[in-house]
Amino acid sequence: MLGGMTAPTFSHELSVASALAREAGALLLAHLRAGFTVEHKTSADDPVTVADREASTLIMTALAAAFPADGLLSEEETDDRARLGHDRVWIVDPIDGTKEYSTGLPDYCVSIGLAVGGEPVLGVVYAPETDELFSGVVGQGVTLNGQPVPAPGSGPDWRIAVSDTEHGRELHAVLLSGMKPSGSIALKLARIAAAQVDATFTMSPRSEWDIAAGHALLRAAGGDLRRRDGRPVRYNRPRPHIEQGLIGGTPAALDWLEGQLRGHRLPVAHLGLTRADPAWTLLPESDRAALDGHPGVNVRHASGEVLALLVVNPGTRQVERAEGDAFHLDRLTRDVTRALGTLQS
């Protein structure tokens, strides 16, 4: 009870989202059988297909009809800023893991989340290739294909789901035990919630649609997802992107992993850095004075040290400064390009 009122169960919302996830999954499998052309938004790491767009239209149209008072946000739709005036917002990724989907790998999913007051409260993640439907509501637990999931693991051999892209580029050289590379982050979070793995982290930023449903599932299972600097992730923001890497998992695994990331000095990107961010203090005093208020300050850092700095005019995408270790500057440039589009040197 809250203020004399019963807390919402979201049973209707969960039923609708679950049915839509399965319907969208069937559409994705049909496109795989028929074949399709792959396009790219900013790079080879950022593909899009007709299946993404059709699945998005299917889900968004049905959600708008079922919940006309709610806001909507999808990776594949033009952002309707009217969502900012809504307390309840559906956040959708019709295919999280399009790169895997488009190359014939099974590690992709349909992701449908509901945020209320900026907090993720309901999540449905469906993996079509394995016919796994993860669903849950915060305070009510998580199910996998309708069955309650097992209790979280207790260690000490923690299983850490990591990005296959980040693993291929640099994590393979890190002596961090238990790493399991895979594609979709939404599916990683769902598998943590279902006790199939224990924790995850990223070095690069993600967007709200990548993580909203999985974050809700993780919270429903007693875990959490947060920014690498420890601050919480909030949803339905004017710019729906989390500007830095993330870390999430069940409580004990999360504590262990945070210590490991510090010990291994694993870097993290932070885009659009401002003086309100903890990483701002890592800049030299002269840069803090010169860059204060600039909308395009981007860094990659680890253990209190800035490894790369990239200053870009977001409007023109003109690079104004590019400094630091070549390897880390290349990684940072990829992150900024994915966020803004092709940069102008």
Side-chain angles (χ1 to χ4, degrees):
M1 300 287 285
L2 181 63
M5 298 179 65
T6 303
T9 64
F10 298 103
S11 58
H12 178 53
E13 288 87 344
L14 195 62
S15 176
V16 170
S18 297
L20 285 174
R22 285 193 178 277
E23 188 176 352
L27 184 153
L28 302 186
L29 292 174
H31 273 292
L32 276 178
R33 290 191 293 268
F36 50 81
T37 299
V38 180
E39 303 170 29
H40 296 91
K41 298 176 184 177
T42 59
S43 70
D45 292 332
D46 197 13
V48 64
T49 71
V50 64
D52 293 81
R53 299 187 179 106
E54 288 188 7
S56 182
T57 299
L58 183 158
I59 295 168
M60 299 291 273
T61 300
L63 288 175
F67 309 104
D70 293 354
L72 299 169
L73 174 65
S74 169
E75 178 177 15
E76 305 306 336
E77 309 289 337
T78 301
D79 187 4
D80 182 356
R81 306 279 286 188
R83 65 180 171 80
L84 298 174
H86 293 269
D87 190 52
R88 291 178 26 133
V89 179
W90 292 92
I91 303 174
V92 174
D93 194 343
I95 310 178
D96 188 56
T98 299
K99 182 178 178 182
E100 286 71 24
Y101 172 74
S102 64
T103 54
L105 298 174
D107 192 23
Y108 65 91
C109 66
V110 179
S111 175
I112 303 175
L114 176 64
V116 178
E119 299 282 348
V121 299
L122 176 152
V124 172
V125 170
Y126 179 57
E129 297 283 353
T130 52
D131 190 30
E132 292 174 289
L133 182 74
F134 305 84
S135 60
V137 173
V138 175
Q140 300 176 37
V142 177
T143 63
L144 172 53
N145 291 340
Q147 299 300 311
V149 300
S154 56
D157 298 321
W158 300 112
R159 301 159 294 178
I160 309 303
V162 297
S163 160
D164 50 7
T165 300
E166 292 182 354
H167 188 269
R169 286 180 178 154
E170 55 190 303
L171 287 178
H172 66 275
V174 177
L175 298 178
L176 174 64
S177 63
M179 284 193 292
K180 297 180 178 298
S182 61
S184 162
I185 189 170
L187 198 49
K188 289 181 180 70
L189 296 173
R191 295 199 185 285
I192 296 170
Q196 296 176 6
V197 288
D198 302 302
T200 189
F201 72 95
T202 75
M203 291 181 285
S204 297
R206 297 295 188 269
S207 298
E208 290 187 17
W209 45 75
D210 298 322
I211 61 173
H215 190 180
L217 291 171
L218 190 50
R219 290 183 68 211
D224 199 12
L225 177 73
R226 53 183 177 257
R227 297 166 181 260
R228 285 273 300 273
D229 65 12
R231 292 183 294 171
V233 177
R234 299 282 292 175
Y235 293 86
N236 196 32
R237 309 296 294 172
R239 188 172 183 274
H241 306 285
I242 291 73
E243 304 90 349
Q244 59 184 271
L246 302 162
I247 183 170
T250 56
L254 191 51
D255 288 346
W256 175 86
L257 181 56
E258 286 193 314
Q260 291 293 308
L261 298 187
R262 287 191 298 270
H264 287 285
R265 301 186 72 249
L266 286 175
V268 61
H270 192 135
L271 311 188
L273 190 69
T274 73
R275 65 185 305 171
D277 299 312
W280 181 259
T281 61
L282 304 181
L283 295 173
E285 187 174 350
S286 58
D287 279 345
R288 279 179 267 161
L291 297 173
D292 192 9
H294 193 296
V297 180
N298 310 285
V299 300
R300 200 173 205 244
H301 65 91
S303 299
E305 176 187 1
V306 174
L307 304 172
L309 169 70
L310 186 64
V311 181
V312 178
N313 182 317
T316 64
R317 302 198 295 274
Q318 185 72 37
V319 175
E320 298 176 0
R321 286 177 63 182
E323 303 168 5
D325 175 86
F327 175 86
H328 294 290
L329 186 58
D330 177 71
R331 302 270 106 45
L332 180 60
T333 301
R334 288 174 182 267
D335 289 338
V336 175
T337 298
R338 186 159 188 171
L340 298 180
T342 303
L343 304 181
Q344 306 299 316
S345 58

